[in-house]
Amino acid sequence: MARKVTKTAKVIKGSRKKVSAVNKKSATPKAKNKKVNKPTKTKKYIFVVGGVMSGVGKGVTSSSIAMLLKARGLSVTAIKIDPYINVDAGTMNPTEHGEVFVLKSGLETDQDMGNYERFLNVDLPPINYMTTGSVYQSVIQKERNLEYEGRNVEVVPDIPLDVIRRIKEAGEKSKVDVVLIEVGGTVGEYQNVLFLEAVRMMKSAEPADVAVVMVSYLPVPGSIGEMKTKPTQTAVRSLNATGVFADMIIARSSEPVDEKRKEKIARFCNVKPEHVISAPDVESIYDIPLNYEEDEMSLQMLRILDLPTRKPADLKAWKQFVSRSKRSNDVVKIAVVGKYFNSGDFVLSDVYLSVLEAIKYSAYKLGLKPEISYLSAQDFADKKNLRGLRKYDGVLVPGGFGTTGIDGKLNVIEYVRKNKIPYFGICYGMQLMVLEYVRNVLKLKDSSTEEINPNAKHLVIGVMSEQREKIANKEMGGTMRLGEYPAVLKQGSVAMKAYHNKEITERHRHRYEVNPDYIEDITAAGLIFSGTSPDGSLMEIAELSVADHPFFMGVQFHPELTARPFDPHPLFTAFVKAAYEADV
Ligand code: GLN
């Protein structure tokens, strides 16, 4: 039996190869006319919805399901639906919404898109992200273009229909077998009702091709010490009230879910016991897919979707990555100095999620155990606190906007430069690094970035010319310099040694730049611009030579967005290595 399955898998593999060869050919107009590029099978859609409460890891759950199906040999893409009216995530405050993840195309999206890119090791196109605002915007635009041909345009069905159009288009664009769609928010709230309506419409149109997963939470109240299933039952009932029924329940909890409770959930929530997947808290998010496989999650999902169970999931590389991440006891201590960490009495690290993951991947690659501390920039406005930085091997200042925490960040940068503590500045962290150098080495005291003090005498960091008009007209949504742009590197620089390449492309998100008027003086004072836009006009990387500092680098772009578990970012690796090796 098992052999038969393997054989089938081989045949399918062969035929898929043929299809892709045809695909290549079909790029030529002649082949296109022959219409040889017929789809071989229908696509499957998996919706992931949340029950009980938010913040239980729906994003990593979705990423894990997608990754496991990919490991089963299927091609998979992932979509995030955000319920906000904001047209994209770029206008949301990270303390409320988490990190803004910029796609290669430049679209500003939710941090879950970053999880999908990392877990699936792909670059996702902009069609894979939507918000209530973006859906309404396109429906209204179509109405203005008379595309509805005079009929009444209504919230139902026109909004869900546009959601479905986008989902289908994303599946076609990525040419995948399975499209996974994470519906933001929690069932029972008003905000995502129209998205659930889209799920209902798709499921009733193509019942065999659509699966619904509910990520629920089972509390274990301290006073009782027993895992409770009632909130899950209630959440399933609210989901059912929208006409949507779950095929699988991912049971998040502090503990594994036992058989007794699985049966109880199955009985009251209308799913099979084997479709209740235990998802206890784990040490690292990268353990999650391996944990799901203990409950045969991918097998059960293939069965729900009536897909051939083919071969078992190939998790060799993933397991190697996870075991490497746990093997080392050799610690490297990195401090991330940001302004968005404090939220009431709680510390939010999600705001810099990609930065933290990027540090980890590089540390694991080097066989090191990363110990990352989140330090609030505001605390360093008082110079007395700077001494506390001595206990770290490296300091990173991530991207940011506005005035809060600026004095603290500038003090931190001055301190690590003088004390030769390895430093990596990202975007704002690079602009402030240049400003600190101008203030304290070039001694231009009345200097600033235009973002903070447009009246300063020396605007070392100025607004990019194409941005000036946009700011004046208040065109602020999606108008920064966004997405992938090329840069060229200076021969022999620290950056070039890290990349092993002279030409690079990186993702961006900024309105300001190093003012070209100051470049000559800054360079003469010893700071090297080792990466620039190909025409030389825009400074992309600043660094001190290794003779002056073990590692002192700032980048105008966001390298964290493209760091992947199996492919750490070279600059993060260079920084973490320098931090570990530097004798501070
Ligand atoms: N605020 C700066 C700018 O707009 C830096 C942006 C960032 O760090 N992402 O240029």
Side-chain angles (χ1 to χ4, degrees), residues 209-460:
D209 297 334
V210 175
V212 177
V213 177
M214 188 169 95
V215 184
S216 191
Y217 188 75
L218 289 92
V220 185
S223 53
I224 315 174
E226 186 201 331
M227 184 182 286
K228 305 304 282 180
T229 63
K230 193 74 80 193
T232 299
Q233 296 177 39
T234 313
V236 165
R237 243 169 251 147
S238 341
L239 180 66
N240 295 163
T242 67
V244 177
F245 295 83
D247 298 285
M248 178 179 274
I249 293 180
I250 307 273
R252 285 281 297 112
S253 183
S254 52
E255 324 286 326
V257 178
D258 59 5
E259 288 308 313
K260 191 171 161 199
R261 276 161 195 82
K262 276 189 183 173
E263 271 160 30
K264 197 166 173 185
I265 295 170
R267 186 172 317 121
F268 291 114
C269 301
N270 268 323
V271 293
K272 293 182 180 170
E274 62 269 30
H275 293 167
V276 180
I277 307 295
S278 170
D281 288 348
V282 281
E283 195 187 318
S284 138
I285 57 168
Y286 302 102
D287 290 326
I288 292 172
L290 302 178
N291 233 5
Y292 287 174
E293 279 310 79
E294 293 194 4
D295 273 3
E296 299 186 318
M297 203 284 296
S298 63
L299 177 71
Q300 299 302 339
M301 184 48 78
L302 293 180
R303 286 189 181 150
I304 291 170
L305 290 170
D306 198 19
L307 285 169
T309 41
R310 295 184 182 178
K311 47 182 178 160
D314 177 5
L315 293 168
K316 212 170 122 213
W318 194 269
K319 282 182 179 159
Q320 266 169 7
F321 167 75
V322 170
S323 75
R324 198 169 349 112
S325 74
K326 292 181 177 166
R327 209 178 302 145
S328 182
N329 291 317
D330 226 354
V331 170
V332 60
K333 289 187 186 167
I334 306 290
V336 176
V337 181
K339 76 161 181 177
Y340 298 119
F341 284 127
N342 296 335
S343 168
D345 290 342
F346 299 91
V347 173
L348 302 172
S349 58
D350 260 13
V351 177
Y352 304 112
L353 182 66
S354 297
V355 172
L356 308 180
E357 298 312 294
I359 296 171
K360 290 181 199 167
Y361 303 154
S362 288
Y364 300 154
K365 181 179 175 168
L366 296 164
L368 300 172
K369 182 179 174 151
E371 240 178 57
I372 306 172
S373 301
Y374 315 127
L375 307 182
S376 189
Q378 292 89 315
D379 293 344
F380 296 103
D382 183 348
K383 288 196 173 183
K384 280 207 295 288
N385 295 331
L386 289 167
R387 251 173 298 147
L389 291 171
R390 280 199 178 275
K391 57 174 180 279
Y392 300 103
D393 300 314
V395 170
L396 187 150
V397 173
F401 295 84
T403 312
T404 313
I406 289 306
D407 293 337
K409 285 182 187 174
L410 286 165
N411 286 343
V412 166
I413 297 168
E414 180 183 11
Y415 186 85
V416 297
R417 180 175 57 77
K418 289 183 174 162
N419 289 282
K420 303 208 186 304
I421 299 173
Y423 173 76
F424 193 24
I426 294 176
C427 207
Y428 216 11
M430 178 246 201
Q431 296 173 354
L432 296 174
M433 166 183 152
V434 173
L435 178 59
E436 186 278 325
Y437 206 79
V438 166
R439 280 191 185 170
N440 300 323
V441 180
L442 275 74
K443 308 273 184 222
L444 298 182
K445 289 297 169 200
D446 188 12
S447 53
S448 192
T449 150
E450 204 170 345
E451 188 170 353
I452 308 174
N453 179 11
N455 301 319
K457 187 167 168 204
H458 302 285
L459 291 176
V460 178

Side-chain angles (χ1 to χ4, degrees), residues 405-523:
I406 289 306
D407 293 337
K409 285 182 187 174
L410 286 165
N411 286 343
V412 166
I413 297 168
E414 180 183 11
Y415 186 85
V416 297
R417 180 175 57 77
K418 289 183 174 162
N419 289 282
K420 303 208 186 304
I421 299 173
Y423 173 76
F424 193 24
I426 294 176
C427 207
Y428 216 11
M430 178 246 201
Q431 296 173 354
L432 296 174
M433 166 183 152
V434 173
L435 178 59
E436 186 278 325
Y437 206 79
V438 166
R439 280 191 185 170
N440 300 323
V441 180
L442 275 74
K443 308 273 184 222
L444 298 182
K445 289 297 169 200
D446 188 12
S447 53
S448 192
T449 150
E450 204 170 345
E451 188 170 353
I452 308 174
N453 179 11
N455 301 319
K457 187 167 168 204
H458 302 285
L459 291 176
V460 178
I461 308 295
V463 70
M464 283 185 278
S465 51
E466 71 271 21
Q467 291 288 331
R468 203 171 289 282
E469 210 177 317
K470 289 176 186 164
I471 297 173
N473 296 338
K474 291 201 169 167
E475 291 165 22
M476 301 302 269
T479 57
M480 282 186 237
R481 181 171 179 258
L482 291 165
E484 207 174 73
Y485 286 94
V488 288
L489 307 182
K490 213 187 189 90
Q491 203 75 38
S493 62
V494 177
M496 188 170 158
K497 279 185 192 141
Y499 277 105
H500 294 297
N501 212 340
K502 202 172 153 38
E503 282 158 34
I504 58 162
T505 47
E506 291 285 359
R507 298 186 195 175
H508 296 71
R509 182 174 188 242
H510 63 121
R511 282 190 208 281
Y512 298 83
E513 63 172 338
V514 178
N515 184 342
D517 295 347
Y518 291 87
I519 289 167
E520 218 179 291
D521 289 351
I522 297 171
T523 310

